[in-house]
């Protein structure tokens, strides 16, 4: 017969086309509505993309490569300007400086601008690196708010505590990472049966029209403006270093799959079909940093700054646990943390991550007054 029973019932001339999103186990059960009509037979490119997205070996290789790029970016930033790469700190410091709440530190401003422009480059070269849909405003705002509060109270996120803090063998970072990773895994696993549908990207969220969700021109303008401002305040090489390191970091995030909230949820939800590849992102980054950072920290100073500017506290304090817990919950709810959110604003549904970032900034702003109440209480 020319049709299978299923295709006869649906009056379709052939097998259904591939889904518009990667086939993630967590989200497969939530898709119930049929997709609009596609060509009868998938093109060879569609077949190749489908087999690539379903190959664990390929995902792990991409994760290791992305992690290595992240490690090289953070190592270069340490060696050249003497700083830890902290996404939440750079976002918060840039916001507080632009709102005249803190003295200007142009390196943070340039770094955020470089992340935005790096996201633009990823969008132009490989738009499939981003989720091809957005999420509802309440989900994004709640997640961003929790992450903003948590990373401010807890002094960092997956980059500052994870890639950089663990490479420095910081006890504080070990405590923070254990708290937010453990919390995120438990929260996402518990929420998966109830949030599976909300976590599926939608082409009608958060704005009903594709044009409304695409904010690429604004991202280009914002990124270029931040870098240009920094160039007026910094020596030329420092501006180039910060912009290059942050743009490279954006590429590493895309290679690692961290610019997709679907990928994050499939890693954090421990269930059948679990995707472990993001564990290799941290492994790839730490392999580079643990090898190189101890040697760089023996230098008298970085190559393009007069001194290293590294965290000096060694006390295990209660704020690391509280902040890590809040960050872990927020990360599980929205599948985003500050670095991927900044880069993700350049994606086809950048409005969704912009909403998340607004929530994150609101949480960071609120915590400026809350944070002193938690600091200094040793465990």
């Amino acid at each position: 017969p020319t049709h299978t029973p299923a295709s006869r019932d649906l009056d379709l001339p052939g097998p259904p086309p591939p889904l518009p999103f990667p086939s993630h186990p967590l989200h497969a059960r939530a898709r119930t509505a049929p997709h609009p009509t596609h060509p009868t037979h998938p093109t060879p490119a569609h077949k190749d993309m489908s087999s690539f997205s379903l190959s664990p070996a390929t995902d792990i290789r991409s994760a290791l490569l992305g992690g290595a790029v992240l490690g090289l970016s953070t190592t270069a930033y340490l060696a050249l300007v003497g700083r830890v790469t902290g996404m939440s700190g750079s976002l918060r410091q840039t916001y507080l400086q632009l709102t005249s709440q803190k003295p200007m530190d142009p390196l943070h401003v340039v770094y955020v601008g470089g992340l935005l422009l790096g996201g633009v480059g990823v969008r132009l070269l490989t738009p499939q690196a981003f989720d091809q849909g957005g999420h509802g405003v309440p989900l994004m705002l709640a997640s961003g708010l929790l992450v903003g509060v948590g990373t401010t109270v807890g002094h960092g996120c997956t980059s500052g505590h994870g890639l950089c803090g663990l490479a420095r063998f910081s006890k504080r970072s070990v405590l923070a990472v254990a708290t937010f990773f453990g919390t995120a895994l438990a929260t996402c696993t518990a929420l998966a049966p109830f949030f599976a549908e909300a976590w599926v990207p939608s082409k009608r969220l958060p704005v009903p029209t594709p044009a409304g969700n695409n904010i690429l021109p604004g991202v280009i303008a914002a990124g270029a403006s931040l870098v240009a401002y920094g160039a007026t305040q910094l020596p030329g090489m420092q501006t180039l270093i910060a912009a290059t390191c942050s743009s490279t970091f954006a590429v590493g995030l895309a290679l690692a799959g961290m610019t997709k909230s679907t990928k994050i949820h499939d890693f954090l939800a421990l269930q059948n079909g679990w995707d472990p590849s993001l564990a290799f992102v941290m492994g790839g980054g730490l392999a580079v940093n643990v090898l190189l950072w101890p040697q760089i920290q023996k230098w008298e100073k970085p190559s393009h700054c007069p001194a290293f500017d590294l965290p000096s506290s060694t006390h295990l304090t209660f704020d690391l646990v509280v902040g890590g817990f809040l960050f872990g919950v927020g990360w599980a709810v929205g599948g985003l943390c500050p670095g991927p959110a900044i880069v993700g604003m350049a994606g086809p549904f950048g409005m969704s991550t912009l909403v998340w970032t607004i929530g994150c900034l609101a949480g960071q702003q609120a915590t400026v007054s809350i944070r002193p109440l938690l600091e200094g209480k040793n465990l």
Side-chain angles (χ1 to χ4, degrees):
T2 57
H3 304 287
T4 65
S7 59
R8 185 184 298 118
D9 293 341
L10 294 174
D11 195 24
L12 294 176
L19 293 168
F21 309 110
S23 180
H24 296 284
L26 177 63
H27 308 104
R29 297 189 299 274
R31 300 187 183 99
T32 56
H35 195 268
T37 304
H38 283 259
T40 301
H41 299 289
T43 64
H46 286 160
K47 291 179 181 179
D48 290 342
M49 288 178 65
S50 176
S51 61
F52 176 85
S53 68
L54 293 173
S55 170
T58 303
D59 288 342
I60 290 173
R61 287 196 296 269
S62 298
L64 284 170
L65 176 60
V69 171
L70 295 175
L72 290 171
S73 170
T74 55
T75 294
Y77 201 55
L78 176 71
L80 297 174
V81 297
R83 294 201 180 188
V84 164
T85 301
M87 297 297 107
S88 60
S90 290
L91 177 63
R92 180 176 65 254
Q93 292 297 329
T94 298
Y95 163 74
L96 293 175
Q97 291 167 37
L98 294 179
T99 54
S100 302
Q101 298 180 64
K102 280 208 168 187
M104 191 58 67
D105 184 348
L107 271 176
H108 286 299
V109 177
V110 173
Y111 199 95
V112 172
L115 280 175
L116 292 170
L117 294 179
V120 171
V122 172
R123 164 75 182 275
L124 296 177
L125 294 174
T126 57
Q128 67 271 22
F130 303 96
D131 281 327
Q132 301 302 302
H135 299 86
V137 170
L139 181 75
M140 290 290 97
L141 282 178
S143 171
L145 184 68
L146 286 166
V147 171
V149 174
T151 54
T152 306
V153 172
H155 307 273
C157 58
T158 54
S159 55
H161 277 312
L163 284 173
C164 300
L166 296 182
R168 296 187 302 112
F169 304 105
S170 165
K171 294 185 296 182
R172 288 169 58 83
S173 291
V174 170
L175 176 61
V177 170
T179 302
F180 67 66
F181 256 116
T183 301
L185 288 167
T187 302
C188 194
T189 301
L191 293 180
F194 309 99
F195 277 64
E197 185 172 353
W199 287 342
V200 177
S202 169
K203 292 185 177 294
R204 297 182 60 81
L205 289 174
V207 178
T209 61
N213 285 304
N214 181 15
I215 58 172
L216 184 62
V219 171
I220 295 173
S225 297
L226 292 175
V227 173
Y229 171 78
T232 66
Q233 306 293 316
L234 291 170
M237 281 304 298
Q238 288 188 17
T239 302
L240 179 63
I241 289 166
T244 302
C245 287
S246 57
S247 297
T248 304
F249 197 91
V251 172
L253 290 174
L255 286 171
M258 293 191 69
T259 49
K260 292 183 175 182
S261 63
T262 49
K263 186 79 170 174
I264 302 300
H265 284 137
D266 285 342
F267 170 68
L268 293 178
L270 300 176
Q271 58 182 13
N272 290 335
W274 178 56
D275 180 358
S277 58
L278 288 188
F280 293 87
V281 176
M282 185 67 76
L286 284 176
V288 173
N289 288 357
V290 169
L291 178 65
L292 298 177
W293 278 48
Q295 305 306 316
I296 296 171
Q297 289 179 281
K298 294 177 182 177
W299 299 357
E300 182 178 348
K301 65 183 184 65
S303 63
H304 288 80
C305 276
F308 286 100
D309 183 9
L310 302 175
S312 58
S313 178
T314 59
H315 297 296
L316 299 180
T317 51
F318 188 60
D319 52 357
L320 295 170
V321 177
V322 174
F325 174 80
L326 294 173
F327 169 38
V329 173
W331 190 25
V333 168
L336 288 172
C337 52
I342 296 171
V343 175
M345 282 191 275
F349 287 80
M351 180 61 74
S352 183
T353 50
L354 174 61
V355 171
W356 186 97
T357 304
I358 291 171
C360 184
L361 290 173
Q364 291 179 332
Q365 175 66 75
T367 312
V368 168
S369 59
I370 297 172
R371 183 171 167 177
L373 301 177
L374 295 171
E375 286 184 330
K377 297 182 181 179
N378 294 346
L379 291 177

